[in-house]
Structures are given as structure tokens and as C-alpha cells.
Amino acid sequence: MPEYKTAGAACADCYARLVRPFITIPNKATTLINLGFAIELPEGYEAVIRPRSGLSKMGIVVATGTIDADFRGEVKACITNNTGGDFDIKNLERICQMKIQKAERFEFEAVDELSETERGENGFGSTGNS
């Protein structure tokens, strides 16, 4: 089961649940890793799969993914190996984290124009690097 490792943890750690002792992910390859559980969320909530910083700094990328309230299958993590070589994931190893949060729904409306802001259309790094 996912578990919170500290009292202040916002996310629960999730573990690889493999049928063998480990799986090797070749460099630049992407694979789905079973997490060994399914989840039934209340309507209006989502679970978000996120990377763990310890693996991220090594070059293991966990794609952020949403588990919707109506999904009933096994939860999996989508992992890409960018380490420069093969990378082994061991059975029962912590490989990602999961955050459960409210998921608001909105009505979408087509309009001809939007209100003005100081930022305007500036995006992708426009607020600076520091």
C-alpha cells in the first residue's frame, strides 16, 4: 500500500510491485511499472502520480499522471530512463509518490477576448529565473 513516510509528507510513497526481483529499463526507454493497488476515490477528487526527487536527480523521469475518480484498474507509474545506461528497478522499491486532492470542475465558455493583466501573453520563463 502507499504510505506517508513522515508526519508532514504531502504525498504517499508508492512501490514497484513486480513479478520478478527486478526489471531493467534500457537508456531512453519508457515503461509502465505496476504499483500493486487500485483505488476508489470519491467523486470530486483525483490522485496524482509524481516523481520522487531521489530518482529524478539520477535521471529517472516519472511522468505526472492523474487517476480519475471513475478509474478502477491497477495504478501504474510511467517511467523513462535518462541515466545514460540501463537502470534496474527492484521489486518493492519506492519509485514514485501519490497526492490525493480535490479536482474542481469548471464550465468552459468560448469568448472573443480575455481581460488584461500585467503579464499578458508572456509565458515559459517570462517571470525570470530567480
Side-chain angles (χ1 to χ4, degrees):
M1 296 295 291
E3 63 181 346
Y4 295 98
K5 293 304 254 183
T6 67
C11 297
D13 286 342
C14 298
Y15 298 81
R17 302 293 185 191
L18 308 174
V19 295
R20 51 187 188 264
F22 68 92
I23 184 172
T24 300
I25 304 174
N27 186 46
K28 302 298 180 194
T30 299
T31 190
L32 292 176
I33 302 291
N34 294 341
L35 299 181
F37 68 92
I39 190 168
E40 184 171 340
L41 296 166
E43 190 68 33
Y45 284 82
E46 68 171 335
V48 180
I49 298 298
R50 298 179 176 179
R52 291 188 64 239
S53 58
L55 289 177
S56 294
K57 71 180 182 182
M58 295 169 37
I60 299 301
V61 178
V62 177
T64 301
T66 293
I67 296 97
D68 296 304
D70 59 353
F71 178 69
R72 295 294 185 269
E74 181 175 359
V75 177
K76 299 179 183 188
C78 182
I79 297 181
T80 300
N81 174 9
N82 288 326
T83 63
D86 290 349
F87 188 83
D88 291 340
I89 298 214
K90 297 170 192 67
N91 188 39
L92 304 179
E93 180 178 3
R94 290 184 296 158
I95 60 167
C96 62
Q97 42 188 344
M98 180 176 63
K99 169 88 187 232
I100 297 175
Q101 58 194 22
K102 282 192 166 289
E104 301 288 335
R105 292 191 60 134
F106 293 86
E107 296 287 327
F108 295 97
E109 178 182 341
V111 297
D112 293 327
E113 61 185 58
L114 301 174
S115 64
E116 296 288 327
T117 67
E118 184 178 327
R119 183 176 185 175
E121 294 182 15
N122 298 320
F124 289 98
S126 65
T127 60
N129 294 325
S130 54

